[in-house]
Amino acid sequence: MTIEGKLMGRRTAVLSPTLEALLPRVGENIKLARLRRKITASMLAERAGMTRTTLRKIENGDSGVTFGAYASVLFCLNLEDDLLLLAKDDTLGRKLQDIGLTVPKKRVAKKQ
């Protein structure tokens, strides 16, 4: 639990440095999508049912914001189908699955 989590009475996940670096990039992508559509932060926050502060946290890649809030913003930007791309190509999982598969041995025909 982080110090902030203890102070505010909520639990937060501890993220790896890789994830900590990834979330700001996601937030930047969301911000750029908003700007390309010429939607103000106030308008998007209102449409997504959140405060401008929460939207700012999303656009900064804050890990304390719920996944649902990220999803709501993507929906308002008409990017909800991007959520279906998460874990779509599970290359590692497929390789692990293939390792565990066994090929049945061919049966030798009985002599008659």
Side-chain angles (χ1 to χ4, degrees):
M1 182 183 301
T2 64
I3 293 173
E4 295 86 7
K6 284 183 179 181
L7 293 175
M8 299 182 76
R10 63 181 180 144
R11 291 175 150 309
T12 56
V14 178
L15 298 182
S16 70
T18 303
L19 289 175
E20 286 290 347
L22 189 68
L23 285 176
R25 290 175 50 197
V26 171
E28 180 69 14
N29 289 346
I30 289 172
K31 182 177 183 177
L32 290 172
R34 175 179 63 79
L35 294 174
R36 283 186 210 105
R37 288 161 176 72
K38 297 183 180 353
I39 299 173
T40 66
S42 296
M43 287 170 50
L44 183 55
E46 184 178 333
R47 290 176 186 175
M50 63 185 62
T51 64
R52 283 184 55 218
T53 302
T54 301
L55 178 60
R56 186 178 320 113
K57 287 179 179 181
I58 289 171
E59 291 184 349
N60 288 329
D62 188 317
S63 63
V65 179
T66 67
F67 184 76
Y70 277 88
S72 181
V73 168
L74 290 172
F75 175 78
C76 292
L77 293 171
N78 199 30
L79 294 171
E80 67 274 9
D81 286 345
D82 286 7
L83 293 170
L84 296 174
L85 300 176
L86 296 174
K88 181 180 176 190
D89 264 344
D90 184 11
T91 307
L92 175 60
R94 290 182 190 273
K95 286 180 182 179
L96 292 171
Q97 184 180 37
D98 290 346
I99 290 170
L101 296 178
T102 58
V103 179
K105 295 180 182 179
K106 287 189 176 185
R107 298 181 113 192
V108 178
K110 290 184 181 181
K111 292 184 182 180
Q112 294 184 4

